Amino acid sequence: MPHLAEHGALFAAAFLSATIFPFQSEVVLFAMLVAEHYTWWVLILVASVGNILGSVVNWFLGRFLAHFEDRRWFPVKRHQMAKAEAWYHRYGRWTLLLSWVPVIGDPLTIVAGLLREPLRVFVPLVTLAKTGRYLAVGALSLGWI
């Protein structure tokens, strides 16, 4: 497959940006799209899959590591978790459609795991949100809108 290393780098950027690490995969995707060396739908697919899998990691963090939240090394502070939990309880699983939003999206995916949102519900909602964001980035960078 041509451009395997570049696609791998995009996947890694998208994966990392969905986890607790601060990263901006949209910038990487935008740059690759405007370079016009790559197939646009492959880039969006690679970025989406990476970002969705990163969110699934967050779900597992919330699901299985919640009892470590009082530790210093735990990446999300209790007050941040409380705020995200309140939001999630108020608006429910549909808040996962906001999982693409910077700052609040990643904590929402952790809270979904913490509150035991079924993975069969979590994945489709997050997929819709994350893929929609990358389609919007693609449309902007390719001049479709």
Side-chain angles (χ1 to χ4, degrees), residues 117-141:
E117 185 67 56
L119 203 53
R120 63 180 165 68
V121 173
F122 176 86
V123 170
L125 289 172
V126 169
T127 297
L128 184 63
K130 304 288 188 158
T131 303
R133 175 198 45 213
Y134 287 126
L135 284 170
V137 169
L140 285 172
S141 64

Side-chain angles (χ1 to χ4, degrees), residues 1-139:
M1 175 179 196
H3 307 295
L4 186 59
E6 293 95 333
H7 286 101
L10 175 61
F11 179 90
F15 182 88
L16 287 174
S17 72
T19 62
I20 56 174
F21 299 106
F23 208 84
Q24 293 299 317
S25 60
E26 296 86 356
V27 174
V28 177
L29 177 62
F30 185 87
M32 292 178 79
L33 286 166
V34 297
E36 297 182 358
H37 293 12
Y38 313 96
T39 306
W40 69 268
W41 65 268
V42 173
L43 292 177
I44 291 172
L45 177 67
V46 167
S48 296
V49 170
N51 211 246
I52 293 161
L53 290 177
S55 292
V56 170
V57 166
N58 284 350
W59 183 89
F60 277 106
L61 279 173
R63 182 80 165 82
F64 296 110
L65 298 178
H67 63 281
F68 292 114
E69 73 179 296
D70 60 337
R71 306 284 171 93
R72 275 185 45 205
W73 56 263
F74 196 75
V76 180
K77 304 294 181 232
R78 182 64 210 145
H79 73 278
Q80 294 169 315
M81 286 293 284
K83 190 184 277 189
E85 285 176 29
W87 176 286
Y88 198 85
H89 280 302
R90 183 171 182 188
Y91 298 106
R93 63 179 43 142
W94 300 108
T95 59
L96 291 172
L97 293 173
L98 297 174
S99 62
W100 67 270
V101 177
V103 181
I104 67 166
D106 298 339
L108 284 175
T109 59
I110 294 170
V111 169
L114 178 68
L115 298 178
R116 300 180 186 272
E117 185 67 56
L119 203 53
R120 63 180 165 68
V121 173
F122 176 86
V123 170
L125 289 172
V126 169
T127 297
L128 184 63
K130 304 288 188 158
T131 303
R133 175 198 45 213
Y134 287 126
L135 284 170
V137 169

